[in-house]
Amino acid sequence: HLDRIADVDPAVHAFLHVSTESALSQARAVDEDIAAGNQPASALAGVPLALKDVVTMQGAPTTVGSKMLEGWQPPYDATITTKMLEAGIVILGKTNMDEFAMGSSTENSAYGVTHNPWDLGRIPGGSGGGSSAALAAFEAPLAIGTDTGGSIRQPGAVTGTVGVKPTYGGVSRYGLVAFSSSLDQAGPCARTVMDAAMLHEVIGGHDLLDATSINQPVPAVVQAVREGSLGDLRGLKVGVVKEFSGKGYDAGVMVSFNEAVEQLRALGAEIIEVSCPHFTYALSAYYLIAPSECSSNLARFDAMRYGIRIGDDGERSAEEVMSLTREIGFGPEVKRRIMIGTYALSSGYYDAYYGSAQKVRTLIKQDFEAAYEKVDVLVSPTTPTTAFPIGERTDNPMAMYLADLCTIPASLAGHPAMSVPSRLSATDGLPVGLQIMAPALQETRMYRVAAAYE
Ligand code: GLN
């Protein structure tokens, strides 16, 4: 995989940092362990993985795609990093991403764009475009992403790979650079549903270092994939969300989606159309809640504690150094969100904006509850279009935000959701993703359907 990275990454630019030395020494340790007659630490021991640069790992930089953290080396490992290393997984390096995970195309990275291996002129999705591109380009068989509003699932869809957002709290957030704490969730990315399930079981589970971590066993997703692989979905009810179709959806995406639904029906599932009327407001609510939490979380980048410090010449005041550093350290999308969030949280506007958005969040949860009284899982296209050309949406934040139309409701509810490749688009031949959603902690249902479909 290191050779493959050397060959193709100059064109793909999935990686921001390749940890050659530590990857080789981890791999050697696994080999020696096995040569000594020991059981491998896990079924994934020795398997290489690409780590999104929002997750800390000692001995490598963590930039979060931002100039603000250029050169910063974390003094500790994220819980999921520790778990993967203990399982013998070999971490190849850190992958490119939209700055602070804000974006849908990886074009907001301060370190250049990542190219979609299917067509180097197109975006690999975002914010975790580096992780998904690394999988699609065969630079790594496993990757880690984080998903706040779709950043695992949408890059998965447009690169033809599998991406899973676990239940909120199902995977520890300790050691992840925070964007929107009530939404951020790390999860597995892979080329097959089984690979994703195996990685899910390694990273999942309760963590005392994360106050929102759920104190429950990791769902038995590997077993669910085994069962699903038998291809029998009789007795299962699949809901098709009526609101996720129509204007704005590529014809090629809808053909692929409808065919996927027919395939689920052929596997024995009962298909039921459901209406979730408040999903229409999910995007608007998200773009108040996520920026509000971001404006608060990113206050810690004060030029004193982490990363770069600009203009500390003994003349300028601490406040001047702080504002100069933030002016230079943050890119335009991050600044836009800090501004929106600060405004939405200001006294006098709080109820009208943040408060209303939280009420919408509750209505969306209620839509899900009503739907899950009738069906076991919900399906939709993962994203309304296939990978768009690099540069097409950079001047139009609203068009960029629309990439997350279908992924945001499950994020707001804290529910698990995943994207699996469906048939390539009949109009442009590019990958399309099928999104499968399930109630909180019901990952096994979701994986079973994904495995049966795959
Ligand atoms: N694209 C969405 C945003 O820009 C989601 C990002 C994410 O999930 N991290 O906020």
Side-chain angles (χ1 to χ4, degrees):
H1 288 88
L2 290 171
D3 289 346
R4 177 76 182 162
I5 292 170
D7 285 347
V8 304
D9 213 54
V12 176
H13 191 44
F15 284 87
L16 292 178
H17 176 83
V18 181
S19 302
T20 309
E21 298 288 297
S22 68
L24 288 173
S25 84
Q26 283 165 28
R28 224 173 282 124
V30 173
D31 283 347
E32 281 163 12
D33 202 32
I34 293 171
N38 297 326
Q39 278 289 329
S42 80
L44 293 180
V47 181
L49 174 137
L51 188 59
K52 188 177 178 183
D53 203 24
V54 62
V55 183
T56 54
M57 176 173 79
Q58 284 179 75
T62 294
T63 68
V64 207
S66 181
K67 206 174 161 48
M68 185 59 95
L69 281 182
E70 193 165 12
W72 183 65
Q73 295 246 2
Y76 55 85
D77 283 337
T79 296
I80 59 171
T81 303
T82 307
K83 287 189 174 191
M84 291 190 293
L85 293 174
E86 282 171 3
I89 291 175
V90 175
I91 301 182
L92 294 170
K94 310 296 291 290
T95 54
N96 200 13
M97 55 182 288
D98 286 297
E99 185 177 7
F100 284 99
M102 298 172 196
S104 304
S105 67
T106 315
E107 292 166 296
N108 295 337
S109 168
Y111 303 99
V113 300
T114 296
H115 300 262
N116 190 322
W118 288 76
D119 174 349
L120 296 174
R122 290 175 189 267
I123 59 102
S127 63
S131 283
S132 296
L135 295 172
F138 290 80
E139 294 171 271
L142 297 174
I144 289 290
T146 57
D147 191 309
T148 302
S151 284
I152 288 177
R153 291 164 283 163
Q154 182 259 5
V158 301
T159 59
T161 58
V162 177
V164 182
K165 183 196 91 75
T167 301
Y168 179 79
V171 175
S172 169
R173 285 185 298 115
Y174 177 77
L176 274 58
V177 180
F179 160 17
S180 178
S181 308
S182 76
L183 296 160
D184 297 345
Q185 186 59 67
C189 309
R191 284 193 298 266
T192 72
V193 174
M194 181 54 112
D195 290 353
M198 289 171 80
L199 182 56
H200 195 137
E201 291 197 0
V202 169
I203 60 174
H206 185 232
D207 181 11
L208 286 170
L209 298 174
D210 173 359
T212 58
S213 162
I214 298 171
N215 193 355
Q216 295 253 347
V218 191
V221 291
V222 169
Q223 182 56 26
V225 173
R226 285 202 191 101
E227 285 164 18
S229 308
L230 303 174
D232 182 359
L233 293 181
R234 278 175 300 178
L236 188 99
K237 294 192 175 106
V238 174
V240 174
V241 183
K242 195 172 93 189
E243 283 75 13
F244 287 149
S245 59
K247 206 170 143 265
Y249 289 78
D250 276 359
V253 167
M254 288 320 289
V255 170
S256 174
F257 174 66
N258 291 330
E259 198 184 282
V261 171
E262 284 319 308
Q263 198 174 326
L264 294 175
R265 196 196 305 275
L267 293 169
E270 185 184 342
I271 308 295
I272 300 169
E273 189 181 82
V274 296
S275 175
C276 296
H278 299 98
F279 282 15
T280 325
Y281 307 108
L283 196 71
S284 316
Y286 172 87
Y287 277 102
L288 285 168
I289 293 168
S292 295
E293 293 185 13
C294 124
S295 73
S296 161
N297 271 326
L298 270 55
R300 64 170 63 93
F301 299 102
D302 55 6
M304 302 297 144
R305 285 177 284 186
Y306 313 90
I308 61 167
R309 182 182 300 170
I310 312 272
D312 186 9
D313 54 8
E315 304 281 310
R316 289 187 175 87
S317 68
E319 265 176 10
E320 283 167 335
V321 171
M322 193 187 299
S323 66
L324 196 60
T325 303
R326 287 169 70 86
E327 168 63 33
I328 290 168
F330 290 138
E333 181 63 23
V334 172
K335 284 181 188 150
R336 179 180 298 123
R337 301 215 188 179
I338 293 174
M339 301 272 286
I340 295 172
T342 307
Y343 181 82
L345 292 176
S346 338
S347 75
Y349 297 112
Y350 184 95
D351 285 344
Y353 294 110
Y354 188 73
S356 304
Q358 290 291 22
K359 285 180 191 154
V360 171
R361 191 172 188 176
T362 303
L363 292 171
I364 288 164
K365 277 190 195 149
Q366 289 169 352
D367 277 1
F368 270 119
E369 276 161 28
Y372 288 132
E373 272 173 22
K374 295 185 217 124
V375 299
D376 302 300
V377 295
L378 291 169
V379 293
S380 76
T382 305
T383 182
T385 70
T386 55
F388 45 89
I390 289 172
E392 190 186 82
R393 300 191 188 179
T394 36
D395 295 334
N396 187 347
M398 280 308 291
M400 190 70 89
Y401 296 171
L402 285 174
D404 304 309
L405 203 57
C406 312
T407 46
I408 282 176
S411 302
L412 290 172
H415 292 170
M418 69 191 284
S419 181
V420 281
S422 56
R423 185 195 275 274
L424 299 180
S425 162
T427 47
D428 57 20
L430 291 168
V432 177
L434 169 70
Q435 179 177 230
I436 308 167
M437 298 169 268
L441 294 171
Q442 297 302 323
E443 269 90 343
T444 49
R445 282 186 208 174
M446 183 175 92
Y447 273 99
R448 181 173 158 232
V449 175
Y453 174 72
E454 185 185 47

